Amino acid sequence: MSENVVPFHKPTDPPAPDTAPTVLTVVPDAPPARPVPLWVRSGRAIKTGVTHEKTRATVRAAARHSLYTFNGGRIVARRTWDGRTGSRYERMIRAAEAAGNLEAAEEWEERLQRFRAARHHRRMDLLHSPVEAAKGVAVGAGMSIGVLVALGVVMAINTGHVGDVITPLSATVDFIALLIRIVQVVWGPALTIGPFLALLALWSVGRKQHAAPAWALPANVRGSEGEPITPSIVVKALRDLGVPALARAIKEMGDAGASMLGPIRIAGCGVEVDVTLPSGVATNEVQNKRRKLAENLTRHEHEVFITIPEAARTVRLWIADSGALDEPIGPSPLVTDETLTANYKTGRAPWGQDLRGDAAELSVYQRHLLVTGLSNQGKTAALRALALWLALDRTVQFWIADLKGVGDWAPFDGIAKVLIEGPSDSHCIQATEMVEDAVEEMNRRIEAVRKDPSLAFPPLIVLVDEAQKAFMCPAKGEDGRPYGGAKATSRYFMAVREIHNQGRAVDVLMWQGTQDPTDQNLPKLVREGAHTRASLVVGTESQAEMALGAKAVNAGAAPHLLRQGLDKGTLVVASDGIAIPAGQSSITVRTHFIDDEPAAEIAARAKALRDGVATLHAIDRTEERDPLADVAAVIGDAARMRTDEVLKRLHALDTAVYREWNNIRLKRLLEEHGEEPKKSHGVMVVRRDDVARALANRDADGSASASQ
């Protein structure tokens, strides 16, 4: 057995004959640790004591209160000097001249002249005041003594004692002597306490002005989060931006950069200021350093927006109050005002608020719409808010394809004439055919307008949510043409392009919502055909350009700089249908969120304005059609319906089956079952009761045949 290894077993229990003995390894004792030298322990103790938070707090407190007193004296001295001289007016004159405001400079110069004239008069008065003061004192003393003597005479006459004549005068002398004794007693302590009171007053002035370095201030004051924006802070932030030409120019300016800034204006939940950059500094050099500029202004990156106004070499900074953008903006007027109505032509949809806190209202009149962004950022909610408002105009028709299919658009059942819901390829095919039907409707309207220019048609909104699915659909039709894709052979792509080209002339409008735009799922020709383009947060600057266009992004639109998950519902909008500040090409809108329950209530108000719209849901086109049942389905709850409207709805229900149907074919169908269209006020109509009776007759005939 090796060294340091011994057998181990219980003394009372011998090891089992077939069991190997248990061994215990004995590890030699470790050598004792070397003692730490005294100088090392002393150094560690000193370091711990010096760096301890209590020590640091004590040092900060001592420095803070000392500097409060010292800088308080400087502040009082400066105020005294400003009060006695015209230096304050001279500073204002120099600042006005640096800003190029000559009118203000002249006004301050006039004030300075008036101040100097008044000071001269006061000094001249002081030259004559000693003599006048002496005369006044003599006259006052004489009158006072005379009054006291007269009072003493009255007392003497009253008491009969001649000595009472000087009693008032002696009492006055005794009172003055008492005052002198009081002053003699108080004067010594006052001389001792006076300097301490003066220092306390200076300390109080310094404390109120926080006249100490930031590191010495208390923790609740030291944090600069939410620091008010002042001209000096803006200039300092620009100077420290890391642009050498800008920093040199600010240092060389006689006014320390004040002439660069326009007025700082309150703008909603923040402030706005225009900055005219010096020669040699490009606007994109400031735009590219948005994060650093925001941190220099003691803000987060998402709280500073940089746009390019029309003026040359100028950037417009909008700086939010700290934390203001994380606060909710409140409910939509659609929810709070049940009397609110819509007007497609003249109205504006209450979409949300801009960064200034003003209402952001969008006109949708003859404007195609594109809303894009990453998944789960509020795209469908933004689209639905517009559609809910427009649904309150009873003249507007909706054809909707929801390729997400989770019920977001369910409130439009009974409002939309077509509602497709589902994410499969078959739903994408149906959505494509719906858009193609809209193209045919557009062409029918155009042809009718050519014959009669006075005709007007109800607005038709063709809305496809999650449109990227339609573009990416791999299915092909019987003719071999793909439903999806971005080429001229793509049925969905070409249908959207045709509506973009001519639809607005006859109020057939295309609204699309799509995720994560790329050239594959949102072709260039389609995205550029939209008049109103809005983007939630996207991943890259190139995607921002796809969503809004290069012009808007180059001018400062930055949906790629929004915070994913934290800026839900925040859109950057480029459109002539919304009020955009002068000189800007886009505006940032925080949209109202309308939840499912309020959306259902708004939809119910919209349905009450309409006359029983029968919503057509997508039906599998591979099944055998029942024309009579389809006629009953498209009529729905309406008592009667014009024959041309019935044909149009049959066509929308299944274009392949009912493409060739006309009034004669519809009449023949009803006659086969013992009914036929009738006239109402001179217009051919199909009555719901007639169709129901025809269905009953057919079912009765079928039952009789089966029994035989």
Side-chain angles (χ1 to χ4, degrees):
M1 187 174 293
S2 60
E3 185 181 2
N4 295 332
V5 178
V6 297
F8 174 77
H9 58 82
K10 294 182 180 179
T12 58
D13 298 329
D18 297 333
T19 303
T22 304
V23 297
L24 175 68
T25 302
V26 180
V27 180
D29 295 337
R34 298 178 58 186
V36 179
L38 178 61
W39 65 273
V40 174
R41 285 179 286 151
S42 301
R44 292 175 179 173
I46 293 173
K47 180 181 179 181
T48 301
V50 170
T51 59
H52 195 273
E53 183 57 32
K54 289 185 177 180
T55 305
R56 296 167 65 182
T58 302
V59 172
R60 278 199 298 266
R64 177 169 66 250
H65 294 295
S66 300
L67 291 171
Y68 279 169
T69 305
F70 176 74
N71 291 326
R74 293 178 56 190
I75 293 171
V76 170
R78 180 67 174 271
R79 290 175 179 174
T80 304
W81 178 256
D82 286 346
R84 303 298 298 175
T85 67
S87 59
R88 174 175 52 187
Y89 299 94
E90 293 173 356
R91 284 201 307 272
M92 300 304 295
I93 292 171
R94 288 195 298 270
E97 290 176 346
N101 192 344
L102 299 182
E103 293 182 359
E106 291 177 358
E107 182 180 351
W108 282 110
E109 188 171 2
E110 291 178 1
R111 293 183 181 182
L112 176 60
Q113 294 300 330
R114 290 196 296 269
F115 169 80
R116 287 175 174 171
R119 184 178 61 183
H120 175 72
H121 288 307
R122 288 196 301 271
R123 288 176 178 176
M124 295 302 296
D125 291 341
L126 287 175
L127 296 177
H128 303 89
S129 59
V131 176
E132 298 296 333
K135 291 181 180 179
V137 170
V139 172
M143 292 180 63
S144 300
I145 293 172
V147 169
L148 292 174
V149 171
L151 180 61
V153 170
V154 172
M155 292 178 62
I157 294 173
N158 185 44
T159 60
H161 296 286
V162 179
D164 288 341
V165 173
I166 62 172
T167 298
L169 190 61
S170 62
T172 302
V173 172
D174 293 340
F175 177 72
I176 294 174
L178 176 62
L179 293 179
I180 293 173
R181 285 195 295 273
I182 292 174
V183 170
Q184 288 175 343
V185 173
V186 174
W187 184 252
L191 290 178
T192 304
I193 300 174
F196 293 100
L197 296 177
L199 290 176
L200 181 61
L202 297 178
W203 173 86
S204 178
V205 172
R207 183 182 65 84
K208 290 181 179 179
Q209 297 293 326
H210 300 304
W215 60 266
L217 294 175
N220 60 336
V221 179
R222 187 167 62 250
S224 58
E225 192 75 17
E227 186 177 359
I229 299 300
T230 62
S232 60
I233 289 176
V234 176
V235 172
K236 185 176 182 297
L238 293 169
R239 186 195 66 195
D240 299 338
L241 201 55
V243 181
L246 181 59
R248 287 196 302 269
I250 291 175
K251 291 180 181 179
E252 292 171 359
M253 292 180 184
D255 58 351
S259 59
M260 296 170 52
L261 305 183
I264 297 179
R265 305 176 294 272
I266 296 177
C269 57
V271 296
E272 186 178 70
V273 59
D274 286 350
V275 180
T276 302
L277 301 176
S279 178
V281 181
T283 54
N284 64 338
E285 293 184 83
V286 177
Q287 277 186 299
N288 295 336
K289 293 183 176 291
R290 180 189 180 199
R291 178 187 292 272
K292 191 169 186 178
L293 177 62
E295 293 174 350
N296 289 349
L297 292 167
T298 65
R299 295 294 190 273
H300 297 292
E301 183 179 11
H302 71 277
E303 294 176 328
V304 174
F305 287 81
I306 306 172
T307 54
I308 310 299
E310 293 179 350
R313 287 191 295 109
T314 301
V315 293
R316 179 168 294 161
L317 307 180
W318 186 85
I319 307 157
D321 298 336
S322 184
L325 295 184
D326 296 326
E327 297 294 329
I329 65 171
S332 169
L334 290 172
V335 177
T336 58
D337 185 1
E338 295 185 358
T339 63
L340 190 67
T341 59
N343 188 298
Y344 162 74
K345 188 172 183 179
T346 62
R348 289 178 175 267
W351 211 8
Q353 292 181 0
D354 62 15
L355 295 177
R356 294 163 179 79
D358 299 327
E361 299 178 333
L362 179 70
S363 171
V364 298
Y365 176 62
Q366 292 189 343
R367 291 179 177 88
H368 302 301
L369 174 67
L370 172 65
V371 178
T372 187
L374 297 180
S375 176
N376 194 32
Q377 298 302 306
K379 176 180 71 279
T380 298
L383 266 175
R384 192 174 69 175
L386 292 177
L388 285 170
W389 172 80
L390 195 55
L392 296 175
D393 184 344
R394 60 177 300 173
T395 65
V396 179
Q397 300 175 359
F398 290 91
W399 294 4
I400 299 175
D402 175 16
L403 299 182
K404 186 188 297 181
V406 295
D408 291 330
W409 294 94
F412 281 79
D413 191 351
I415 298 176
K417 290 194 172 183
V418 179
L419 179 58
I420 299 168
E421 295 179 289
S424 67
D425 286 346
S426 64
H427 293 99
C428 294
I429 292 171
Q430 292 165 0
T432 300
E433 292 173 343
M434 179 190 76
V435 179
E436 290 176 335
D437 292 344
V439 173
E440 292 190 10
E441 171 66 12
M442 175 190 71
N443 292 333
R444 184 187 69 81
R445 292 184 178 190
I446 292 173
E447 188 63 28
V449 169
R450 286 176 182 171
K451 296 177 182 179
D452 185 1
S454 64
L455 285 178
F457 296 95
L460 172 59
I461 305 299
V462 184
L463 192 155
V464 180
D465 195 9
E466 305 296 340
Q468 77 279 355
K469 289 181 173 290
F471 281 111
M472 302 297 289
C473 179
K476 293 184 179 181
E478 295 179 357
D479 57 357
R481 291 179 59 199
Y483 286 93
K487 297 181 179 180
T489 56
S490 167
R491 293 175 60 174
Y492 182 80
F493 170 72
M494 291 306 297
V496 172
R497 285 291 300 138
E498 289 187 48
I499 294 177
H500 278 177
N501 289 337
Q502 296 177 292
R504 64 184 299 270
V506 288
D507 289 314
V508 176
L509 303 179
M510 192 75 208
W511 289 13
Q512 294 183 97
T514 182
Q515 288 184 14
D516 200 13
T518 65
D519 285 327
Q520 288 71 38
N521 63 26
L522 188 61
K524 184 175 186 291
L525 293 178
V526 170
R527 60 182 184 249
E528 291 186 350
H531 304 97
T532 296
R533 300 168 70 173
S535 176
L536 296 115
V537 58
V538 292
T540 63
E541 184 175 348
S542 63
Q543 288 181 319
E545 291 186 1
M546 292 180 187
L548 300 176
K551 178 182 178 181
V553 174
N554 292 337
H560 55 290
L561 296 180
L562 296 173
R563 301 169 298 168
Q564 184 173 0
L566 298 177
D567 287 327
K568 276 189 175 183
T570 300
L571 286 165
V572 182
V573 184
S575 171
D576 61 348
I578 193 170
I580 296 178
Q584 296 180 200
S585 59
S586 65
I587 186 172
T588 301
V589 176
R590 303 171 68 197
T591 58
H592 295 296
F593 175 70
I594 303 176
D595 210 343
D596 291 340
E597 184 175 345
E601 295 176 358
I602 299 168
R605 300 206 307 264
K607 292 174 187 177
L609 298 174
R610 298 169 184 262
D611 187 15
V613 175
T615 298
L616 303 182
H617 295 275
I619 301 175
D620 188 357
R621 295 175 183 266
T622 61
E623 66 181 2
E624 184 178 354
R625 304 237 51 110
D626 182 350
L628 193 58
D630 287 345
V631 171
V634 298
I635 292 178
D637 296 331
R640 64 180 62 87
M641 185 175 291
R642 296 173 53 170
T643 55
D644 57 350
E645 179 67 15
V646 173
L647 290 170
K648 184 167 59 177
R649 293 192 177 195
L650 288 173
H651 185 210
L653 181 63
D654 195 325
T655 305
V657 173
Y658 298 111
R659 184 185 298 275
E660 305 298 333
W661 277 53
N662 52 27
N663 288 333
I664 296 174
R665 181 69 182 86
L666 179 60
K667 180 180 179 181
R668 187 184 307 126
L669 171 68
L670 296 175
E671 288 176 345
E672 290 173 357
H673 298 88
E675 303 293 337
E676 64 179 13
K678 298 179 178 63
K679 283 191 176 182
S680 175
H681 302 287
V683 179
M684 295 298 295
V685 298
V686 179
R687 302 176 187 273
R688 181 185 60 194
D689 294 342
D690 294 345
V691 177
R693 194 161 46 249
L695 282 171
N697 294 336
R698 186 187 67 176
D699 293 341
D701 293 342
S703 300
S705 300
S707 63
Q708 292 176 359

